[in-house]
Amino acid sequence: MGATVPRGAHRAVPKLARFGAGGYQVLAPPPPGLDMSSSKPENPPPPPSPPAAAAASISEADNGTGSGGISKKQAKKEAKKAEKAQRQQSSAAQAAEAESSSALDDPLSSHYGDVAVEEIQSKAVSGREWTEVGDLGAEKAGRTVLIRGAAQAIRPVSKKMAFLVLRQAMSTVQCVLVADARHVSPHMVKFATALSKESILDVEGVVSVPSQPIKGTTQQVEVQVRKLYCINRAIPNLPINIEDAARSEAEFAKAELTGEQLVRVGQDTRLNNRVLDLRTPANQAIFRIQCQVEHIFKQFLLSKDFVGIHTPKLISGSSEGGAAVFKLDYKGQPACLAQSPQLCKQMAICGGFGRVFEVGPVFRAEDSYTHRHLCEFVGLDVEMEIKEHYFEVCDIVDRLFVEMFDHLSKNCKRELEAINRQYPFEPLKYLPKTLRLTYEEGIQMLKEAGTEIEPMGDLNTESEKKLGWLVRQKYDTDFYILCRYPLAVRPFYTMPCYDDPAYTNSFDVFIRGEEIISGAQRIHTPELLAKRAEACGIDVKTISTYIDSFKYGAPPHGGFGVGLERVVMLFCALNNIRKTSMFPRDPQRLVP
């Protein structure tokens, strides 16, 4: 789809439209030479005319001073060419003027045009009925519909016929313009073919069902256009094309075999032009999946008597230990952005809320450039009282994520298919009852496979992936829980094991061999909490109010935190977390 349109062709019939009782009505054209997309004159004062330039060349040649050293004969030839070009320019201007004059006489001129800004400043409520592009089906055949969307592709067939693909969110439909005496004039066809891609359009037309399947659109019907109005024009030359940004690796591989040259849009280019990149079907689907993940997270926890809370993101000291915090001045006091709501959600438990959760931003000032780390992400956090064992928290993780995966697989098929077309992936394998292994069992599996790991150390990325592969081979699952981590690799507030204080009542959760959740039973006695904080290098004074919370009687409790972006990335097997962050923030990116 698409065609090259002569520069300035869309100005041949400059019209504005205003809203009337029956829709948009065309107003009188603006003065000649006015560019509808700019306040600047279309034709600025011209440079010295070509004949004058040619005459100067002749003069220089006569005097023998011409830097080009051209002869009199050649200079005369250039002068004739310049005169011819000037005549052609004059003829083109006259033709354009005649075209504009003819367009004014177009009896169907009210059926199309650019809509004036003041007409869409909430000026009137018409009561017109709008139809979503995604709702256009065979059952609407013969009905007149009004739709709005972006011009994804424009293909002129002749002066009297053109095709237009209109996109709204993840849905596309083919619109057909055919000149006739009642609805569509040749000028209207020309207006349509001169529109720039991604311009926002209102289309009124009749739904029809073609005899052959339509390739390249989601809707298998056509709209026979009766009226067409441009609400807002996109610039003619976009920094990236949606078609290029939506291509899969399979398409590039096929093109390479045939020798076809395709444009590959790099990640930085995508993120620098994120507004356009977000319009691809895969990106539309990714963030709809993300919305569903958050929805199920909240819905499930509310059904289990959890209370949603909101905690401050400006705090006086580190909540996770270490120096990876964004420090700032808070009215003369040292402060930082919260690495998690950890301390506050525990204080909420101390405040009598037996089960709480939060969805909110989390900040990590780590200089990490990996595929799975961001400086700001959305945290899904849970904290709850436990009666006997921290496995009660693991049970919540198990039920929550199995229900989430079931929901996505059942109710988001369209979105998953859209992602799969551009970024092919295998569906996630998970068990009805989530597998649990101890850290020591995981270390032993790696050791038996030839990978040596420090028994009291943490797993690195390579070891996590290897263990994930081993677990899938042995247990046929991509989703599992690893419990009882060494004390040395967990935060200061993690409860040590009763039988061996070198280990903790903690767990991590993995999807496709990558960690998505860290959780544990928390220390709820102030003396042990202060001792562990000091051992981890934390100034107890900066978290004194947190520690004091446990002096008034605190129930045993535990919880976990998970990154929303990472869950979506791993469920859809995407290769970079920046694909699941709408406007990612990493050590090198602060805009857009």
Side-chain angles (χ1 to χ4, degrees):
M1 303 290 286
T4 301
V5 180
R7 189 179 184 87
H10 67 280
R11 304 187 185 107
V13 191
K15 300 189 289 83
L16 290 177
R18 64 178 172 81
F19 185 79
Y24 294 111
Q25 297 177 355
V26 176
L27 299 179
L34 178 63
D35 184 345
M36 297 303 299
S37 63
S38 171
S39 61
K40 297 179 180 179
E42 182 181 1
N43 299 313
S49 64
S57 296
I58 294 173
S59 176
E60 287 183 356
D62 286 340
N63 296 329
T65 59
S67 59
I70 61 174
S71 64
K72 290 183 179 180
K73 183 177 181 181
Q74 187 174 356
K76 289 180 180 179
K77 186 176 180 180
E78 292 295 328
K80 287 183 180 180
K81 285 175 63 177
E83 289 174 1
K84 183 179 179 181
Q86 190 178 43
R87 287 196 302 270
Q88 289 176 339
Q89 185 179 12
S90 178
S91 297
Q94 291 174 3
E97 187 176 349
E99 175 98 20
S100 179
S101 178
S102 175
L104 294 177
D105 297 330
D106 183 1
L108 302 177
S109 62
S110 63
H111 290 194
Y112 61 99
D114 290 275
V115 178
V117 173
E118 56 268 22
E119 298 303 323
I120 50 177
Q121 290 180 302
S122 301
K123 188 175 182 180
V125 177
S126 67
R128 294 180 298 169
E129 181 181 347
W130 294 81
T131 301
E132 298 293 304
V133 170
D135 292 337
L136 294 174
E139 72 282 356
K140 287 185 169 55
R143 289 179 53 182
T144 298
V145 296
L146 177 62
I147 56 179
R148 174 174 290 176
Q152 177 166 296
I154 304 164
R155 180 165 62 90
V157 177
S158 66
K159 291 183 178 180
K160 294 186 177 183
M161 184 177 182
F163 290 97
L164 170 70
V165 174
L166 201 69
R167 185 189 69 252
Q168 183 184 44
M170 293 177 63
S171 303
T172 52
V173 67
Q174 181 164 274
C175 303
V176 185
L177 292 96
V178 179
D180 60 27
R182 295 180 57 197
H183 305 290
V184 179
S185 67
H187 289 295
M188 182 172 170
V189 174
K190 187 170 185 177
F191 171 82
T193 58
L195 291 167
S196 52
K197 288 183 181 181
E198 297 304 306
S199 293
I200 306 302
L201 310 175
D202 283 357
V203 173
E204 184 179 307
V206 179
V207 178
S208 65
V209 181
S211 57
Q212 299 293 327
I214 303 174
K215 296 181 179 180
T217 61
T218 62
Q219 309 309 114
Q220 291 302 301
V221 296
E222 292 180 329
V223 176
Q224 305 297 325
V225 179
R226 297 295 180 260
K227 294 180 181 180
L228 173 65
Y229 303 102
C230 182
I231 302 301
N232 188 263
R233 285 184 183 266
I235 60 174
N237 298 313
L238 299 171
I240 60 174
N241 288 321
I242 308 304
E243 297 94 328
D244 295 333
R247 289 196 178 99
S248 66
E249 285 300 319
E251 291 178 90
F252 285 110
K254 182 179 179 180
E256 188 174 345
L257 292 175
T258 60
E260 184 183 1
Q261 296 292 321
L262 295 178
V263 175
R264 183 186 292 273
V265 183
Q267 180 171 277
D268 283 340
T269 302
R270 289 178 182 275
L271 296 179
N272 290 339
N273 301 281
R274 192 59 159 160
V275 169
L276 286 174
D277 184 47
L278 289 173
R279 299 180 187 182
T280 64
N283 279 331
Q284 288 285 313
I286 285 170
F287 292 102
R288 282 170 168 76
I289 291 287
Q290 187 179 94
C291 176
Q292 289 300 308
V293 169
E294 181 180 347
H295 170 69
I296 294 301
F297 178 81
K298 291 179 177 179
Q299 184 182 59
F300 174 86
L301 293 174
L302 288 170
S303 74
K304 302 299 181 184
D305 297 324
F306 282 78
V307 178
I309 62 172
H310 296 284
T311 61
K313 304 310 165 195
L314 290 170
I315 60 176
S316 60
S318 170
S319 55
E320 295 287 342
V325 295
F326 289 103
K327 298 179 180 180
L328 51 88
D329 177 84
Y330 185 75
K331 302 294 184 180
Q333 302 178 59
C336 62
L337 296 177
Q339 294 169 297
S340 81
Q342 182 59 47
L343 310 189
C344 289
K345 66 179 182 175
Q346 284 188 259
M347 292 167 71
I349 298 298
C350 295
F353 294 89
R355 295 182 160 197
V356 298
F357 73 88
E358 179 173 10
V359 177
V362 174
F363 303 92
R364 302 286 171 88
E366 300 166 340
D367 286 330
S368 182
Y369 299 88
T370 74
H371 71 285
R372 64 179 189 176
H373 288 94
L374 292 170
C375 290
E376 179 184 352
F377 61 90
V378 178
L380 308 177
D381 277 88
V382 169
E383 204 71 23
M384 57 182 279
E385 289 186 16
I386 59 177
K387 298 296 191 289
E388 298 178 335
H389 201 286
Y390 76 98
F391 274 10
E392 294 166 30
V393 183
C394 293
D395 291 340
I396 290 292
V397 172
D398 174 14
R399 292 298 87 210
L400 166 61
F401 279 86
V402 169
E403 184 166 316
M404 182 185 296
F405 298 153
D406 285 346
H407 174 86
L408 296 177
S409 300
K410 179 181 179 181
N411 300 305
C412 300
K413 292 180 179 179
R414 184 187 180 207
E415 288 80 5
L416 294 173
E417 288 170 0
I419 296 170
N420 204 26
R421 280 194 296 271
Q422 184 165 3
Y423 307 112
F425 67 94
E426 292 184 21
L428 183 75
K429 285 190 174 185
Y430 58 98
L431 302 174
K433 176 67 176 177
T434 303
L435 172 71
R436 295 179 195 176
L437 299 171
T438 67
Y439 187 82
E440 291 172 289
E441 287 175 327
I443 293 296
Q444 184 60 33
M445 288 178 68
L446 288 168
K447 184 177 180 179
E448 291 173 358
T451 301
E452 291 293 336
I453 299 293
E454 168 59 42
M456 304 307 289
D458 206 354
L459 296 178
N460 58 29
T461 301
E462 183 180 347
S463 300
E464 287 181 355
K465 285 186 174 294
K466 181 66 177 289
L467 182 57
W469 184 84
L470 293 171
V471 168
R472 178 166 182 171
Q473 297 305 305
K474 185 174 182 178
Y475 299 101
D476 196 34
T477 182
D478 292 316
F479 181 70
Y480 69 98
I481 301 173
L482 197 62
C483 305
R484 198 177 161 97
Y485 270 71
L487 181 69
V489 299
R490 306 306 282 192
F492 75 94
Y493 45 76
T494 307
M495 180 70 79
C497 288
Y498 77 97
D499 58 341
D500 188 346
Y503 289 90
T504 57
N505 295 342
S506 63
F507 62 91
D508 277 2
V509 183
F510 295 83
I511 297 180
R512 301 186 195 270
E514 296 195 47
E515 178 259 314
I516 62 160
I517 292 177
S518 286
Q521 180 180 355
R522 321 302 188 185
I523 296 173
H524 61 281
T525 60
E527 296 81 13
L528 180 56
L529 196 58
K531 181 180 178 181
R532 287 291 303 139
E534 289 175 350
C536 291
I538 297 174
D539 184 356
V540 178
K541 294 179 181 178
T542 64
I543 56 171
S544 59
T545 54
Y546 164 66
I547 294 177
D548 287 345
S549 301
F550 299 96
K551 293 179 179 180
Y552 316 126
H557 60 279
F560 63 89
V562 53
L564 174 61
E565 293 87 346
R566 195 176 290 189
V567 172
V568 178
M569 176 187 78
L570 293 173
F571 181 79
C572 299
L574 298 168
N575 64 359
N576 198 300
I577 198 168
R578 291 155 186 80
K579 286 185 170 70
T580 58
S581 176
M582 186 166 283
F583 300 104
R585 294 291 178 260
D586 60 31
Q588 294 180 316
R589 182 170 290 279
L590 193 56
V591 294

